[in-house]
Amino acid sequence: MKTYYYDHSASTPMLPMVIQTMSELMKLHYANPAALHKSGAEAMKLIDRARASISDRMGSEPGEVVFTSGGTESNNLAIKGSVNKVARSSKHIITSAIEHASVFESFRQLETFGIHTTILPVDRQGKIRPEDVANAIRKDTVLVSIMQVNNETGVVQPIREIGQLLGEFPHVRFHVDGVQAVGKVPFSWKEWGVDLYSGSAHKFGGPKGLGFLLVKSGNELSPLLSGGDQEQGTRSGTHNVPGIVAMSQALRLAVESQEARRERMYAIRRRLLHIVGDIPELLFNGVHSDEADGETGAAPHIVNFSYPGMRPEVIIHMLEKHGILVSSQSACSSKSLQPSRVLLAMGQDADRASGSIRISFGDEHTMEDIEILGDRLKRVVAELKPLERNSK
């Protein structure tokens, strides 16, 4: 039986061209880029070219790109690096109730150190109200951190509007977790008023363990890691040359084909929403609409629904028997037996928040694949319905 992988939000398959590039570089360029000899200098040139390529695709300057180990480190560096850089004793930070764990738990940790936090609510679709962000600003506010695309529901947040409102508060830095957005929905580094932006390579066809943080010029960060002077002193550690180059190549391929890929995936998403809507036991979570500009509505690659009364791991393993691989919540939280924090924040009850399934797809999927997914999803629901009461 053929296996269909519908867990792109957790990790995307590496692009064949990227695998080849990384493999060749691992054979040829193994010198430390910090070394003074010729091989080290050649490795540093590759890093500089990759940095320039990423900055070009993201609309930033090369000096604004900081290489990290992935989205979690980028988010931690943006948040803690900003807070720790501010000298004054009273500090206030703002985020939302639906953020990824790497943001949400960073806020929780900072709270134990005496940092004042505000967790903003969302509406039943999972959207943040820009006016709530502006109303939460205080004199001692140093940072606002809001994700662009929610990793569970695919809901796109009004980042441009929030950035414009925050322009009236120059003492506040604006961080955006763009991990689920890069290569999927539009973003403008220079026009949207964002100061810090996180990306992760394995979410757009690159290798795991690589990421980047865009840091607007003039916004210094306190390093999380002590050591050498890599990344202009912001992030110590020996550069992963093959991985950085592979990430830059994956980003180039994702951004250059973004518009065409987005239209195709939105068509697939609309068909999947129709299929889910025809199964009475399943309740959709999030935003149905996919706005043409990609700045509001929903991202093209994620659909989330609940089967109230049924534990998600039961559905996941039943679908797996039929060759369908999906997930529940985020990969970081998928082994938790707790209800989805995101769905609870959206006003769903614990029963619905405990039975959510996330389907996320990518370039390899066709409309025919979605029909197969729909057929097997209907089959699994029919098989599980007699067990509904016993699975609670």
Side-chain angles (χ1 to χ4, degrees):
M1 179 188 297
K2 179 180 177 180
T3 297
Y4 295 84
Y5 179 77
Y6 290 104
D7 200 14
H8 277 239
S9 290
S11 190
T12 59
M14 275 187 71
L15 299 170
M17 186 184 303
V18 175
I19 294 174
Q20 182 179 355
T21 296
M22 190 168 179
S23 177
E24 292 176 355
L25 288 172
M26 290 173 74
K27 297 174 185 177
L28 298 173
H29 295 279
Y30 41 79
N32 191 319
L36 297 178
H37 50 64
K38 180 180 179 181
S39 292
E42 290 175 349
M44 184 56 74
K45 285 181 181 179
L46 290 174
I47 291 176
D48 290 340
R49 290 173 190 164
R51 196 187 307 276
S53 176
I54 290 174
S55 68
D56 184 52
R57 269 72 198 181
M58 296 304 298
S60 69
E61 299 300 322
E64 296 177 317
V65 178
V66 175
F67 293 125
T68 69
S69 64
T72 291
E73 185 187 345
S74 293
N75 287 338
N76 273 260
L77 177 58
I79 296 166
K80 297 172 185 176
S82 293
V83 170
N84 293 337
K85 193 66 180 178
V86 177
R88 61 176 179 266
S89 57
S90 179
K91 303 172 190 176
H92 173 240
I93 53 179
I94 300 169
T95 191
S96 82
I98 60 164
E99 300 300 311
H100 186 269
S102 59
V103 170
F104 198 80
E105 295 303 324
S106 289
F107 269 67
R108 279 187 168 180
Q109 184 182 37
L110 288 171
E111 200 169 26
T112 65
F113 296 149
I115 307 300
H116 304 286
T117 64
T118 294
I119 309 297
L120 298 174
V122 295
D123 63 21
R124 293 192 68 84
Q125 290 188 320
K127 279 201 172 271
I128 298 159
R129 290 173 287 270
E131 58 270 25
D132 287 350
V133 178
N135 292 337
I137 299 293
R138 306 183 338 194
K139 289 183 178 180
D140 61 346
T141 303
V142 298
L143 178 77
V144 171
S145 180
I146 302 293
M147 65 186 353
Q148 187 174 3
V149 173
N150 184 265
N151 52 295
E152 290 189 34
T153 65
V155 174
V156 181
Q157 302 301 336
I159 297 301
R160 181 202 289 262
E161 191 174 350
I162 293 172
Q164 291 174 343
L165 288 174
L166 290 178
E168 301 178 12
F169 305 93
H171 66 289
V172 179
R173 291 185 183 181
F174 185 24
H175 167 243
V176 173
D177 173 0
V179 167
Q180 291 292 344
V182 176
K184 309 292 194 314
V185 296
F187 171 71
S188 178
W189 172 245
K190 292 185 177 180
E191 297 178 1
W192 288 15
V194 177
D195 299 299
L196 303 144
Y197 189 86
S198 303
S200 180
H202 76 110
K203 306 296 188 179
F204 50 80
K208 295 178 181 64
L210 273 301
F212 63 84
L213 177 67
L214 301 184
V215 183
K216 186 164 289 183
S217 297
N219 290 274
E220 295 184 3
L221 299 174
S222 178
L224 298 181
L225 305 175
S226 300
D229 196 35
Q230 293 90 348
E231 296 305 285
Q232 301 88 46
T234 301
R235 200 274 184 182
S236 297
T238 302
H239 289 101
N240 180 346
V241 179
I244 288 172
V245 175
M247 174 171 64
S248 70
Q249 184 182 42
L251 181 64
R252 175 179 62 81
L253 294 171
V255 171
E256 287 179 352
S257 62
Q258 177 174 299
E259 186 172 347
R261 289 168 48 250
R262 189 171 72 242
E263 291 181 5
R264 191 181 66 81
M265 283 196 288
Y266 271 136
I268 289 175
R269 181 180 184 274
R270 285 191 290 270
R271 177 56 187 154
L272 181 55
L273 287 178
H274 183 77
I275 291 170
V276 171
D278 283 343
I279 305 175
E281 293 80 8
L282 305 183
L283 302 177
F284 172 76
N285 301 308
V287 177
H288 275 90
S289 64
D290 42 76
E291 300 293 339
D293 60 10
E295 291 183 27
T296 56
H301 64 300
I302 300 175
V303 170
N304 185 292
F305 59 84
S306 294
Y307 187 162
M310 188 62 63
R311 297 201 64 82
E313 63 268 25
V314 176
I315 307 173
I316 290 170
H317 292 312
M318 284 291 288
L319 283 170
E320 187 173 6
K321 290 181 180 179
H322 290 277
I324 303 295
L325 304 182
V326 299
S327 64
S328 173
Q329 302 186 41
S330 68
C332 301
S333 307
S334 61
K335 294 183 180 179
S336 171
L337 297 178
Q338 298 299 316
S340 164
R341 171 172 51 81
V342 171
L343 296 186
L344 289 175
M346 292 166 58
Q348 306 299 349
D349 59 34
D351 197 26
R352 182 163 172 174
S354 297
S356 65
I357 295 295
R358 179 184 67 185
I359 296 175
S360 50
F361 39 87
D363 295 341
E364 76 269 26
H365 296 116
T366 66
M367 197 66 76
E368 181 181 355
D369 293 334
I370 296 302
E371 297 299 334
I372 294 172
L373 167 62
D375 178 70
R376 296 180 187 178
L377 185 58
K378 291 175 183 177
R379 195 184 313 175
V380 165
V381 170
E383 292 172 356
L384 290 176
K385 186 152 181 66
L387 306 176
E388 192 172 315
R389 292 182 179 178
N390 298 326
S391 64
K392 292 183 179 180

